[in-house]
Amino acid sequence: MSQVHGSPHAPSARERLVLPLDVTDLLTARRWIDQLAGEVGVFKVGLELFTAAGPDAVRAVHDAGAACFLDLKLHDIPATMAKATASAARLGVRFLTVHAVAGPAALRAVAAEAGDTTLLAVTVLTSMDDDELESVGLAGPADRAVERLGALSVAAGVGGLVCSPLEVAMLRERLGTAPTLMVPGVRPAGAAHGDQKRIATPGSAIEAGADFLVVGRPIRDAADPVAAARAVVDEMQGALARRSQASA
């Protein structure tokens, strides 16, 4: 598997763009895959599609020559999470999400079963703000919770994190370049925020140190999804060039 942050073999801008297949059936998912396989590097299969189509959704992504991000956000007892992780790894998925709040024992258990799959710990969902954190009894503010849970996850052997673009720079400073940072909540300038509350543009997220960007509605809802995806990639490419120059 190619390295990511700060590596001469890092993925291209296109390979860093992730499109979520937030649809209810495999036929619709395949249409999106066929339309955009040449424009994005990773397709995300989440709970909605996986509960409808199961492993066939992962196979559809792989059949198109793309990488699969299986976004199941596993959260259970350590043994159950470990077995689910082993099953996902056998499917050959590139990324798999687990909840950091499952705790150190569970995170160590899934890390032992991940194989070539990069585990991504979900710290604080990008749909949550400080008030919602308080309502479920998690100590905030959100950025401090992300930092705490991120450090716990990396220490347990998890290879990456899912985080808001607003927390990327903080995590890079706290955890260095090693963790893969998968960043949802990305909206091109002028796009609707939807249900995301902690957002940023593709360029600013990449410049802050994000590795992969999840961009859904701004592409899927566009009049020309291919052109929209290419515009995001172009913005990412410019930001990658600036980031490279800044680190030279």
Side-chain angles (χ1 to χ4, degrees):
M1 184 182 300
S2 62
Q3 296 182 22
V4 180
H5 196 77
S7 166
H9 305 292
S12 67
R14 183 191 70 81
E15 291 169 327
R16 295 172 184 267
L17 179 57
V18 181
L19 182 82
L21 297 171
D22 293 337
V23 297
T24 59
D25 63 274
L26 189 57
L27 179 61
T28 304
R30 284 182 171 139
R31 287 173 180 160
W32 280 114
I33 294 168
D34 290 344
Q35 183 176 12
L36 291 166
E39 312 302 330
V40 307
V42 184
F43 288 94
K44 183 172 78 73
V45 174
L47 288 169
E48 183 179 17
L49 180 58
F50 196 76
T51 53
D56 283 345
V58 175
R59 297 186 188 101
V61 172
H62 290 162
D63 288 346
C68 184
F69 169 13
L70 188 56
D71 186 20
L72 299 185
K73 299 182 180 68
L74 302 179
H75 186 183
D76 211 306
I77 63 172
T80 298
M81 287 180 65
K83 290 175 183 178
T85 297
S87 294
R90 285 193 293 271
L91 288 175
V93 299
R94 175 79 180 278
F95 302 106
L96 173 69
T97 47
V98 299
H99 266 295
V101 292
L107 296 175
R108 288 193 293 268
V110 295
E113 299 293 339
D116 291 333
T117 297
T118 296
L119 292 175
L120 303 172
V122 176
T123 55
V124 176
L125 295 171
T126 56
S127 61
M128 298 188 76
D129 56 21
D130 293 347
D131 290 339
E132 288 178 306
L133 276 179
E134 183 178 358
S135 73
V136 298
L138 281 177
D143 59 345
R144 293 300 300 274
V146 168
E147 181 180 11
R148 183 174 66 251
L149 291 168
L152 179 151
S153 301
V154 172
V158 173
L161 303 169
V162 178
C163 65
S164 155
L166 303 186
E167 288 121 20
V168 171
M170 174 270 293
L171 288 171
R172 285 292 175 220
E173 182 177 357
R174 173 72 170 79
L175 302 174
T177 61
T180 297
L181 298 185
M182 176 74 70
V183 180
V186 175
R187 295 287 187 269
H193 292 185
D195 55 7
Q196 305 285 0
K197 294 182 179 178
R198 306 196 315 281
I199 66 171
T201 64
S204 63
I206 288 290
E207 288 193 67
D211 291 310
F212 293 87
L213 303 185
V214 182
V215 184
R217 292 172 186 166
I219 294 175
R220 294 193 312 266
D221 294 347
D224 185 341
V226 169
R230 289 176 180 173
V232 172
V233 169
D234 287 345
E235 183 176 345
M236 292 169 66
Q237 183 60 55
L240 285 168
R242 292 189 295 274
R243 191 170 84 181
S244 179
Q245 291 171 357
S247 63

